[in-house]
């Protein structure tokens, strides 16, 4: 995942002319930028498979954060596939400055990023506020936004392939049908935003205290450091980063492996009454700002 992200960042400096296929570039230049743009699909695919591998083997609970994460994966993948099509200079000349391009970058940027942001918002809302939102409202928000966003932007692919240019104030009657569906999708998306505001208002006006670890089943208490702290967290929770020590048993005991965690905090002599951080040691923790192998 790290190498894929670095590769995308590096290749991003080398593909700028895929926005300029219609300015009269020579054949060799177009061939290079076509190939370089297509190569970006490789680390992008690695990222998608890494996200799917994170879900593989886990017990997926379809609550709001997970729904928005899965929605992000779907929308981002659709946007990536249309990006591969537009990376071909011959096809891009045909689709350039049409609604096909509008649909492509909205699936990648607008819809993908927005669904990721909402996933993070619902996941961290109990930690930030100490309150729990209405799961029913949140799921209504997801489905309205998912349906509305797809109704808005999916028909734009067909409008673009039909030759409808972007940035025009009006269009021929032949394009009216798909544009009407896009408008209905936009209305549904606005309705989903109102549901989101209602969800936040409901959580604040009729507060319900969030459990200490709302996303962690009691049968499998595996969590990261932040969920060991109260919600909402106090300012200056740690005077210095906690140190996480762990050991892993040998291969012969792999089936019965347990990860032993011992979390310590060195005494901070600069603060007179700084006491140690007390964490439950019996539960495994898979995160830390500083990790050392304990021999």
């Amino acid at each position: 995942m790290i190498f894929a992200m670095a590769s995308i960042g590096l290749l991003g400096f080398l593909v700028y002319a895929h926005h300029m296929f219609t300015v009269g570039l020579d054949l060799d230049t177009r061939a290079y930028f076509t190939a370089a743009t297509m190569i970006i699909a490789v680390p992008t695919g690695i990222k998608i498979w890494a996200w799917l591998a994170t879900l593989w083997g886990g017990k997926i609970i379809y609550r709001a954060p997970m729904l928005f994460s899965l929605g992000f994966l779907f929308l981002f993948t659709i946007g990536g596939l249309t990006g591969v099509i537009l990376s071909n200079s011959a096809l891009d000349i045909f689709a350039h400055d049409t609604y096909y391009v509008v649909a492509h970058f909205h699936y990648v940027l607008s819809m993908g990023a927005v669904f990721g942001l909402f996933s993070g918002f619902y996941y961290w809302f109990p930690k930030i506020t100490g309150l729990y939102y209405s799961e029913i409202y949140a799921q209504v928000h997801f489905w309205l936004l998912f349906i509305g966003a797809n109704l808005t932007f999916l028909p734009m692919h067909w409008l673009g392939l039909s030759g409808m240019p972007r940035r025009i104030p009006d269009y021929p009657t032949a394009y009216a049908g798909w544009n009407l569906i896009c408008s209905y999708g936009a209305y549904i998306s606005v309705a989903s935003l109102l549901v989101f505001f209602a969800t936040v208002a409901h959580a604040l006006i009729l507060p319900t205290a969030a459990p200490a670890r709302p996303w962690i089943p009691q049968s499998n208490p595996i969590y990261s450091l932040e969920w060991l702290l109260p919600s909402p967290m106090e300012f200056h929770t740690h005077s210095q980063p906690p140190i996480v020590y762990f050991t892993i048993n040998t291969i012969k005991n792999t089936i019965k492996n347990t990860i032993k965690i011992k979390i310590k905090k060195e005494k901070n002599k600069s603060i007179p009454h700084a006491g140690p951080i007390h964490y439950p040691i019996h539960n495994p923790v898979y995160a830390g700002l500083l990790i050392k192998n304990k021999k």
Side-chain angles (χ1 to χ4, degrees):
M1 175 64 82
I2 301 301
F3 285 116
M5 295 173 64
S7 301
I8 293 173
L10 177 62
L11 292 172
F13 289 102
L14 308 175
V15 297
Y16 57 91
H18 64 215
H19 299 283
M20 303 165 57
F21 283 142
T22 60
V23 302
L25 300 175
D26 62 88
L27 184 60
D28 291 338
T29 304
R30 286 167 49 190
Y32 160 73
F33 281 104
T34 294
T37 305
M38 287 184 175
I39 289 174
I40 284 190
V42 175
T44 304
I46 292 173
K47 287 169 64 69
I48 293 172
W49 284 111
W51 288 323
L52 292 175
T54 304
L55 298 172
W56 182 263
K59 182 179 180 180
I60 300 177
I61 301 176
Y62 295 101
R63 288 192 277 183
M66 180 56 68
L67 288 175
F68 276 101
S69 297
L70 296 175
F72 159 77
L73 284 175
F74 172 78
L75 299 172
F76 186 78
T77 303
I78 296 297
L81 293 175
T82 56
V84 173
I85 294 173
L86 290 174
S87 68
N88 190 310
S89 60
L91 297 177
D92 182 79
I93 290 174
F94 167 74
H96 182 78
D97 227 13
T98 68
Y99 262 69
Y100 192 91
V101 177
V102 176
H104 157 67
F105 68 71
H106 276 85
Y107 263 87
V108 175
L109 297 177
S110 299
M111 297 164 67
V114 167
F115 273 69
L117 289 172
F118 279 127
S119 176
F121 177 86
Y122 283 115
Y123 182 79
W124 292 111
F125 187 82
K127 172 55 63 178
I128 296 171
T129 64
L131 305 175
Y132 197 68
Y133 55 84
S134 171
E135 185 64 30
I136 296 177
Y137 286 6
Q139 296 210 16
V140 170
H141 171 215
F142 166 77
W143 286 112
L144 284 177
L145 184 59
F146 185 79
I147 294 171
N150 281 283
L151 278 180
T152 302
F153 296 108
L154 188 62
M156 290 184 183
H157 293 94
W158 303 312
L159 287 171
L161 293 177
S162 299
M164 179 175 171
R166 58 192 287 206
R167 299 171 179 155
I168 57 173
D170 200 358
Y171 47 82
T173 308
Y175 301 134
W178 287 124
N179 276 280
L180 183 62
I181 294 177
C182 292
S183 298
Y184 289 149
Y187 296 147
I188 295 174
S189 299
V190 171
S192 74
L193 190 61
L194 298 178
V195 174
F196 168 69
F197 290 140
T199 303
V200 177
H202 179 270
L204 298 177
I205 296 173
L206 301 174
T208 300
R213 302 172 188 95
W215 314 119
I216 302 156
Q218 296 300 322
S219 59
N220 186 24
I222 299 176
Y223 41 83
S224 51
L225 287 177
E226 69 274 12
W227 293 107
L228 295 171
L229 300 170
S231 300
M233 292 185 289
E234 300 176 354
F235 290 105
H236 307 294
T237 305
H238 302 296
S239 59
Q240 65 186 54
I243 301 175
V244 180
Y245 295 97
F246 67 92
T247 60
I248 303 178
N249 292 339
T250 55
I251 297 178
K252 63 180 182 180
N253 296 324
T254 299
I255 299 177
K256 299 180 179 180
N257 254 357
T258 57
I259 297 182
K260 300 177 181 179
I261 304 296
K262 183 179 180 183
I263 302 175
K264 299 164 92 180
K265 181 182 178 184
E266 298 176 3
K267 294 182 179 179
N268 189 343
K269 298 180 180 179
S270 61
I271 301 178
H273 299 291
I277 300 178
H278 297 286
Y279 289 132
I281 305 302
H282 59 279
N283 290 330
V285 178
Y286 293 106
L289 299 179
L290 181 60
I291 300 178
K292 294 183 179 180
N293 291 326
K294 185 178 180 183
K295 297 182 180 180

